Structures are given as structure tokens and as C-alpha cells.
Amino acid sequence: MMQTALTLTQMINRAEKYFPKKQVVSRTASGIKRFTYKEIAERTRRLADGLETLGVERGDKVGTLAWNHHRHLEAYFAIPCSGAVLHTINIRLSPQHIAYIVNHAEDKVLLIDSDILPLIEKIHSEFTTVQAYIIMTDEEELPETTLEPVYHYEKLLASADDSYEYPDDLDENAPAGMCYTSATTGNPKGVVYSHRGIVLHSMALGLVDGAGVSEKDIALPVVPMFHVNAWGLPFAAVWFGTTLVMPGPYFTPKLIAELIEQEKVTITAGVPTIWLGLLKELDEKTYDMSSLRAVLCGGAAAPRGIIHAFEKKHNIPFMHAYGLTETSPLVVISNLKSYQEQLSDDEKINIKAMQGILVPGLEMKVIGKDGEIKWDGAEMGELALRGPWIASEYYKDERTAEAFKDGWFYTGDVVTVDEEGFMKIVDRTKDLIKSGGEWISSVDLENALMTHEAVFEAAVVAVPHEQWQERPVACVVLKDDYTGKTSAEELLQFLEPQFAKWWLPDEIIFMKEIPKTSVGKFLKRTLRDHVQKDILQRN
Ligand code: ADP
């Protein structure tokens, strides 16, 4: 067979050639705008030409600090298709971490949303490699800034040449993108994505047994474009000619509900906190959600209660998936097998509450105390992966040796696998609660608590214990109507029939809010410190 290169250039070219009329709906600071793929492709070429004028060469890193909108989408293709590397930067990281990763990646040019400018003003003096800044704004003129040299995105495009041609000799193994994981300890770790990896991952997203993304879809990636490339959706969508709806800056659950209703969104993707917010909005106001064929949920375990509410109360199909920055991210997805469709509603939701089965193209093994675990849904072990869209190292980072061994990536996630091959994430290795030599899954306790009608959110952490080494403590946020009316005893009684006695939390602490990471996951380390201090003070 021929060895043709799998590069991103074919994706944007295909959108232009076959789907010039299809649209990208983009919400920016000044409202909703619509672009055809013909326009997007032309603007993308202009951006590539503009970057070249600024001195960007093959292999150079170009960083983006931006929300989900059409300009960011243009950068997604202009940068890699011209041979440079698209470095999406998480705007919610601390300023120190942002400065660290800009320097560590050696970004040459930064594309910045105008509202993020104040953050960059504070730290740009620490940047060691940046040679130019491009501001993405709807305004005619640039905002006041001390950055130098600074360019206006639209003016750069206007003065660029749209007859620019992408190089046709890109190596499919060349870096196309990079992203840093929001490490809970130490500095963020960089992952580099190759053209080939992104193309094959996009194929997996398009499989009916994957997320089934297709031309017929209207896709709303709520997951940020700085969080594992919005899970690869923008790449797949452009390649397939899918209509894209980009939610822009500072969106709310109300805005998401309105976009779904107005644009007739068929598939949307985000972390559980987003969907909790949307469910609350749907409780308060009626929206027409009938266009949705899938709510894709990953990044943290989807509590059973959320799945039940989407599927049974709102009649919206829920698709649970799992992955990491290191895995592009799609690894497993919870699609029922044909013969499981006959099961009861409850059983089907139980299956969907697991993360799912491995997507075609990847390999996995699960290593427990005595080697590979049995697929019995009970034995636990650490998940290791390999495949064409799994990273093989961290970028210039000695922590590579801890996670990448013998050609496998060790995820740091403890899982079980049932007889059908469905994987369930039990916990992160570091969040498992080790009590009296046994393991307690914080995730299981959280999910059980979150099915209680009074509970809005729950996070369970370990506290040190003299006799048992560690014990679980639950932190609970009650729904507004239940605050002050639901007791810890009531919640413990609710858990009792569901778990062995020694699994039950030693304490339930009520909180107003659970601290979250920059991508909306429970910040377990901060919570653990907080709870431990609280308990120490009381004793
Ligand atoms: P980080 O949260 O470290 O910035 P990632 O976004 O790469 O980085 O997070 C990957 C981690 O998120 C996984 O290792 C796993 O612990 C967790 N995770 C992702 N999806 C799920 C899921 N569906 N259920 C449970 N945990 C998940």
C-alpha cells in the first residue's frame, strides 16, 4: 500500500473543497457570528501567511491563550499545516505555571484573546523566547498594552496573502500540537501530538462505535480548546464538514442551553460540572433539547444521578468517555453493545456509569498486585495503554521515566474491568483511600452521595488515621432547597446499605463549594489539606 502522510492539511482542505457552505457559528465578545468553511479556510491560509511573515518557521511553537471561537479554530489549522506547532495554553492555570510552560515550550509567537491580555501583561517580562504577540479582538483598534511587538489579528489577516500554499512535504510524525497537563503537584507536564496521532484519533471520534461525529452533526465543544484540543472535536469536525458551534468566552449554563436550542446542536462535550450546571438550568426553565443525540462527558467520573437525569428526565442520550491529555484523549467510551439494549433501564444506566470499552486502534493492560487483573469487575489494577494516539514521553521532562515504561503509558488510574470488557475508573492512584491495608474508592462514595436528592456535589478525600492509616471523609454541597435541612446522619444512613461498613466516611462536612481545578475537576489535594486542617483544629 502507499505511504501517504496523515497530516492536518487534508482536513482543512477537505472542508474547503467539499463543505464550503457548511458553517462555523462563533460566539465572541461582541456576539454570535457565522462563517462558512470557505471563509474559514481562506482566513486560515491568511493566518499561515501572516505567521510566516512574522518569522515563524517549521517546528516553531506558537502558543494560544484563547476561548473556543473561530479565530482559535483558524489557529488550530494555520499553525500545524504550515509546519509549526500549535501550543494551546490553559488560561486558567496560575500565572507562574503559564510563564513556566511558555518558556518550557519555547513559544515564539503568542495569540491572545484581548480579555486575557491583563494576565499576560503581568507575566510577559518572564518570557524568554516570545518574539511577537497577536491579539485576537473584535475591536478595530488594539487595546492598550505594554507587549511588544504586538499585532492585530484581523489586520494581520487583511494584509496577508490568501494564495498561500501549505507545504506538501510535512512528515506525519512531525509535531502538530502540544498541551500541558494541569499537574496537581509540580510543574505542568508537556505532551506533543503528531499529525498522524491527531488524524487517527479523529477517525476514532468519527466511528459509529466511537463518538460517531459526522457531517450531519452540529457539534458544540464546551470543553475548552486548551483542554486536550477540546478532546479533538474541532479537528474531526472540520475534516468531516460538521457544523461547529463555538461557545466563546465566559459562557453560562443558560447560554449553553440557548445555543443548543437555537442552533439545534446534536452533540456536545464537556466535564461533569458543566452538565450539572446545565441540568440545574433545565430544572429552572424549559428549553427544547430534542436535537441532541449525545452529551459526551469525560474528564472526571459522571455520577449515575447525572446520567439518569439526562436520559430519563430529559430524554437526552448520555455518552460517558475517559481519557487523558497523554492520550489525545479518547480511550474508552460507554456505548452499549447491541445485546445490552434489551436490559432494564437501571441496568443500562449502570453500564453507562462505567467509562466504557476500548476504542478500536488502542491496546490496554491492567496491572494489579499479582500481574494482569481478572476481568471480573472487582479486581483492581493500574491501567496502561499503547497506540498511535498515545504519547510516548513528556516533552523534555525527566518525569517521563515514571509513566512511560516498556512501550506502555501508565495512566496512574486504578480501574476494574467487567466480563464484557467495560472499564470502570476506581480512582487515581494518589486519591485512593488506603484503609487498614484495603482500598476504598473515593469515586464510588462520591457517586453514591451524588445520587441523594439533597446533594448537589460531593468529594471524598483521605485523612490520616493512627490505626487505619487513612480514613474517608466526605465533603458535601447541598442543593439550595436542602441547605440546613439535611443532616450528616441522614446521608450516612443513605450510604449504609450500599457499602461495606468500613467504607463509610468517618465524617461528612458540609461546604458551600468544592474547590476545582482549572478544568473543573475536584481539587482533591487542596480539599485534603483543608479537611485535615479543619479536623486538627477541632481536636
Ligand atoms: P489533568 O486533570 O491532570 O489536567 P487530564 O485532563 O488529562 O489532566 O485528566 C486525566 C484524568 O482525568 C485521568 O487520569 C482520570 O483520572 C480522569 N478522568 C478522565 N475521564 C474520566 C472519567 N470519565 N471518569 C473518571 N475519571 C476520568
Side-chain angles (χ1 to χ4, degrees):
M1 294 294 136
M2 295 181 187
Q3 293 289 325
T4 60
L6 303 174
T7 64
L8 303 196
T9 319
Q10 61 169 304
M11 295 178 159
I12 186 78
N13 285 346
R14 185 170 189 269
E16 182 173 27
K17 194 165 175 191
Y18 294 100
F19 308 105
K21 292 184 260 181
K22 294 289 303 279
Q23 283 196 346
V24 174
V25 182
S26 175
R27 177 179 165 268
T28 61
S30 61
I32 291 180
K33 300 183 178 57
R34 286 164 202 279
F35 297 86
T36 62
Y37 273 128
K38 182 170 185 294
E39 289 165 322
I40 293 284
E42 183 193 313
R43 287 169 55 87
T44 301
R45 272 196 303 276
R46 286 178 178 274
L47 176 59
D49 185 59
L51 289 169
E52 199 173 86
T53 320
L54 297 185
V56 173
E57 293 175 4
R58 279 203 198 190
D60 283 344
K61 321 292 190 310
V62 179
T64 61
L65 290 135
W67 300 93
N68 294 11
H69 49 59
H70 65 288
R71 296 188 182 102
H72 205 172
L73 183 71
E74 289 151 11
Y76 256 51
F77 289 92
I79 298 166
C81 295
S82 62
V85 184
L86 165 78
H87 173 203
T88 52
I89 303 169
N90 182 345
I91 56 178
R92 300 204 187 104
L93 289 180
S94 67
Q96 299 90 304
H97 276 164
I98 293 183
Y100 167 82
I101 64 177
V102 167
N103 290 338
H104 187 262
E106 299 175 73
D107 289 333
K108 191 169 187 180
V109 173
L110 291 181
L111 285 105
I112 308 170
D113 270 355
S114 50
D115 63 289
I116 296 159
L117 204 51
L119 168 74
I120 302 306
E121 294 274 355
K122 282 192 209 135
I123 51 174
H124 75 97
S125 60
E126 293 170 42
F127 295 165
T128 52
T129 56
V130 180
Q131 293 177 13
Y133 300 89
I134 303 171
I135 309 299
M136 300 197 270
T137 172
D138 293 342
E139 304 295 325
E140 289 273 307
E141 296 306 322
L142 281 175
E144 273 209 20
T145 172
T146 57
L147 300 183
E148 230 191 2
V150 62
Y151 300 87
H152 187 291
Y153 185 93
E154 294 300 329
K155 290 184 183 165
L156 186 75
L157 260 57
S159 62
D161 189 354
D162 84 330
S163 64
Y164 172 92
E165 281 181 25
Y166 300 116
D168 60 6
D169 60 344
L170 289 184
D171 181 344
E172 63 174 11
N173 293 308
M178 65 191 297
C179 184
Y180 282 69
T181 68
S182 43
T184 40
T185 51
N187 277 321
K189 295 180 273 191
V191 172
V192 175
Y193 306 107
S194 65
H195 281 266
R196 181 172 189 269
I198 294 175
V199 169
L200 292 172
H201 178 262
S202 306
M203 285 254 183
L205 281 177
L207 294 175
V208 176
D209 293 330
V213 178
S214 81
E215 186 272 333
K216 292 186 176 54
D217 274 317
I218 299 171
L220 168 68
V222 181
V223 49
M225 291 171 85
F226 52 76
H227 187 203
V228 212
N229 301 324
W231 300 346
L233 274 173
F235 294 122
V238 167
W239 198 12
F240 305 150
T242 306
T243 302
L244 263 176
V245 182
M246 314 299 263
Y250 310 105
F251 54 79
T252 57
K254 179 169 180 293
L255 183 102
I256 298 299
E258 286 169 358
L259 277 178
I260 294 172
E261 181 175 77
Q262 284 158 17
E263 302 301 330
K264 305 205 170 4
V265 168
T266 60
I267 179 166
T268 177
V271 294
T273 23
I274 297 287
W275 306 133
L276 261 177
L278 181 64
L279 283 175
K280 213 168 158 194
E281 179 66 25
L282 297 182
D283 280 344
E284 278 156 26
K285 201 174 153 203
T286 309
Y287 294 87
D288 179 3
M289 297 278 114
S290 60
S291 58
L292 276 177
R293 71 159 181 88
V295 166
L296 188 60
C297 179
R304 198 178 182 284
I306 294 192
I307 306 176
H308 189 269
F310 271 103
E311 296 235 322
K312 295 295 145 213
K313 189 163 170 197
H314 299 288
N315 211 11
I316 301 171
F318 192 89
M319 210 182 247
H320 196 184
Y322 156 88
L324 305 87
T325 305
E326 293 86 334
T327 65
S328 296
L330 187 61
V331 172
V332 298
I333 193 158
S334 211
N335 284 316
L336 297 183
K337 295 182 183 174
S338 47
Y339 54 85
Q340 290 171 328
E341 294 289 352
Q342 279 109 48
L343 296 172
S344 71
D345 282 356
D346 254 10
E347 286 168 317
K348 283 197 268 195
I349 290 180
N350 286 344
I351 297 176
K352 292 199 170 194
M354 293 190 277
Q355 280 73 9
I357 61 172
L358 198 65
V359 293
L362 299 181
E363 289 173 79
M364 69 175 215
K365 62 180 182 182
V366 182
I367 308 298
K369 287 182 195 141
D370 314 306
E372 283 212 37
I373 62 156
K374 274 202 294 297
W375 284 17
D376 60 1
E379 203 179 328
M380 299 177 189
E382 186 183 2
L383 173 69
L385 294 162
R386 66 179 181 193
W389 58 89
I390 309 291
S392 57
E393 61 176 7
Y394 290 120
Y395 180 65
K396 294 188 183 168
D397 198 313
E398 56 194 22
R399 289 168 291 182
T400 288
E402 294 160 23
F404 299 90
K405 287 172 257 179
D406 319 322
W408 291 86
F409 163 56
Y410 286 79
T411 59
D413 285 317
V414 176
V415 308
T416 59
V417 183
D418 75 4
E419 292 82 356
E420 295 286 350
F422 276 77
M423 182 192 294
K424 185 174 156 225
I425 311 294
V426 176
D427 229 324
R428 283 196 167 189
T429 342
K430 52 184 186 295
D431 293 333
L432 262 182
I433 301 155
K434 288 122 197 154
S435 173
E438 297 290 337
W439 289 351
I440 297 174
S441 159
S442 64
V443 176
D444 279 357
L445 287 170
E446 285 159 9
N447 285 346
L449 278 166
M450 283 193 271
T451 57
H452 190 283
E453 58 175 2
V455 176
F456 178 62
E457 276 184 330
V460 175
V461 293
V463 292
H465 191 280
E466 255 178 48
Q467 184 182 359
W468 301 112
Q469 188 186 354
E470 283 181 350
R471 290 293 302 149
V473 167
C475 305
V476 170
V477 180
L478 292 175
K479 290 182 188 158
D480 293 344
D481 294 351
Y482 292 86
T483 310
K485 295 183 196 144
T486 308
S487 66
E489 290 70 41
E490 197 178 329
L491 294 181
L492 284 172
Q493 271 167 21
F494 173 75
L495 290 180
E496 224 173 66
Q498 306 180 51
F499 295 98
K501 202 154 184 274
W502 57 274
W503 271 56
L504 296 181
D506 278 7
E507 199 171 333
I508 291 186
I509 300 177
F510 292 105
M511 299 184 141
K512 279 212 179 71
E513 199 186 353
I514 289 173
K516 308 241 170 48
T517 70
S518 57
V519 289
K521 304 183 193 187
F522 294 149
L523 196 52
K524 290 269 176 97
R525 196 166 49 97
T526 310
L527 197 59
R528 213 157 29 221
D529 293 348
H530 176 86
V531 169
Q532 289 175 11
K533 226 193 291 155
D534 185 54
I535 291 177
L536 264 178
Q537 267 171 6
R538 271 187 279 140
N539 295 337

